[in-house]
Amino acid sequence: MKSPASCPAYLIGAYSGTWETWARSAWDATRNRRWRNSSCPGSTPWFYTHSSADINFNFGETITDSFGLSFYGTYYVGNFYLDGHAGFEWNEYQTERLIVYTTVNRTAEGKPSGQQYTANLGGGYDFRIGPVTLTPYGRAEYVHIDIDSFTETGAIGLNLFIDRQEIDSFQTALGGRAAYAINAPFGVVVPQVSLEWRHEFLNTAGRSRPSSPWIPSTRSS
């Protein structure tokens, strides 16, 4: 991977980093693994993510495989920088729901799919004081997630229909970052710490009312 100093001041490429964090948290995903191509930091036109989340007390699991394409542009004017980003992600989910009571022990499985769209715009200014860099910054982020409807299988008589879900999020972030450059025999080490305040304007996390596919009911999201 190239060092930041060897990358151009004006970057056109792709990004597959923290912008997907909100979507991951929507499914409380853990044990994340990612494979991606990279030359300069942030210049990743495609990515693949595999993640899984367990339900408490071993009552189920959700596995997510994501394939995405994510483009960005960064422009520098002196110590000022401006970031723009847009991306698309296709998600394949595998869900398991364990049903245990009295003499019943069944597992309901589902395989929905969905799409995710993201867009971000942000900027900041680097104040350099010797080896220390202080950076105040601001950012606006929009995420739209669709999860298709599906009917569970494998739990005879206890499978549920889950309606289509839509999730929208628009957040702003204001914060600051402090970095300190340390010369080492093998290169430059730059530890950093950041703090930011975020505000959610939409908060439209989708809720779906499950129903039995064999019993008429009102379906809503």
Side-chain angles (χ1 to χ4, degrees):
M1 178 183 290
K2 296 180 182 179
S3 66
S6 64
C7 291
Y10 180 76
L11 301 176
I12 293 295
Y15 184 78
S16 62
T18 57
W19 306 120
E20 73 217 48
T21 300
W22 188 86
R24 296 281 77 76
S25 64
W27 284 86
D28 192 25
T30 57
R31 300 197 298 277
N32 194 31
R33 299 196 300 272
R34 180 179 300 139
W35 290 265
R36 61 183 186 177
N37 61 326
S38 180
S39 55
C40 284
S43 58
T44 309
W46 59 267
F47 62 92
Y48 165 72
T49 299
H50 176 87
S51 58
S52 62
D54 294 327
I55 301 176
N56 288 343
F57 308 109
N58 295 319
F59 277 118
E61 182 182 26
T62 297
I63 297 175
T64 307
D65 289 291
S66 302
F67 307 84
L69 188 64
S70 187
F71 298 96
Y72 82 90
T74 300
Y75 185 70
Y76 296 89
V77 180
N79 290 348
F80 175 79
Y81 69 89
L82 184 67
D83 284 330
H85 163 268
F88 170 79
E89 186 171 334
W90 179 270
N91 300 314
E92 293 287 344
Y93 306 101
Q94 299 179 51
T95 66
E96 289 186 358
R97 183 172 58 89
L98 184 61
I99 307 167
V100 178
Y101 64 92
T102 60
T103 59
V104 175
N105 188 338
R106 302 175 190 174
T107 300
E109 299 179 348
K111 292 185 177 181
S113 59
Q115 307 83 43
Q116 174 185 326
Y117 307 87
T118 60
N120 303 272
L121 183 65
Y125 190 90
D126 293 330
F127 293 94
R128 296 187 174 90
I129 308 170
V132 177
T133 302
L134 303 176
T135 307
Y137 62 84
R139 185 173 65 252
E141 307 174 1
Y142 174 74
V143 179
H144 176 81
I145 301 175
D146 285 316
I147 303 174
D148 297 337
S149 61
F150 67 99
T151 299
E152 294 176 320
T153 60
I156 300 174
L158 298 174
N159 296 314
L160 296 178
F161 172 86
I162 309 298
D163 207 349
R164 180 173 180 266
Q165 301 175 66
E166 292 187 17
I167 304 170
D168 286 286
S169 171
F170 178 70
Q171 295 186 4
T172 55
L174 295 174
R177 179 173 55 250
Y180 188 87
I182 303 173
N183 290 319
F186 52 85
V188 180
V189 179
V190 186
Q192 63 181 23
V193 61
S194 62
L195 179 66
E196 65 181 39
W197 174 80
R198 304 176 67 93
H199 181 73
E200 172 64 65
F201 290 88
L202 297 180
N203 193 27
T204 62
R207 291 184 177 180
S208 181
R209 179 184 301 170
S211 61
S212 168
W214 313 112
I215 301 176
S217 64
T218 301
R219 298 169 180 172
S220 63
S221 61

